């Protein structure tokens, strides 16, 4: 199981977003957090590569949960983000 949190801080009219992304232990990667930027296109939020090397994309599902995909060090991790 992989724990992560996403806080969307700003969303501009052109779809650009700023976020804070926090992660737990994942492979050899220790817990941490980073400011990030990305873009929303349709129902997908794609972040630019994070400082830890992770590529993160999130898709809004019809039930309003986010399906997340994290690619890091040749591995792909998927799961759901639940609103808190």
């Amino acid at each position: 199981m992989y724990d992560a949190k996403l806080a969307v801080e700003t969303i501009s009219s052109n779809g650009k977003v700023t976020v804070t992304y926090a992660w737990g232990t994942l492979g050899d990667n220790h817990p941490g957090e980073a400011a990030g930027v990305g873009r929303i296109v349709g129902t997908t939020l794609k972040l630019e590569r994070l400082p830890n090397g992770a590529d993160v994309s999130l898709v809004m599902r019809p039930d309003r949960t986010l399906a997340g995909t994290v690619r890091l060090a040749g591995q792909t991790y998927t799961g759901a983000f639940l609103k808190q």
Side-chain angles (χ1 to χ4, degrees):
M1 183 170 191
Y2 172 63
D3 289 322
K5 291 187 178 190
L6 175 76
V8 176
E9 297 174 12
T10 64
I11 304 173
S12 67
S13 60
N14 66 359
K16 187 174 179 180
V17 298
T18 59
V19 303
T20 298
Y21 184 79
W23 59 88
T25 300
L26 185 60
D28 293 336
N29 198 0
H30 298 288
E33 76 174 38
V37 296
R39 183 166 304 278
I40 297 172
V41 177
T43 59
T44 301
L45 166 57
K46 173 77 171 107
L47 299 180
E48 292 180 7
R49 181 163 286 165
L50 296 175
N52 69 346
D55 292 311
V56 179
S57 63
L58 304 135
V59 176
M60 181 68 70
R61 295 176 177 168
D63 66 0
R64 309 293 291 166
T65 60
L66 288 175
T69 301
V70 176
R71 290 181 179 83
L72 179 65
Q75 298 291 318
T76 300
Y77 306 88
T78 61
F81 282 76
L82 305 175
K83 187 174 181 179
Q84 293 184 344

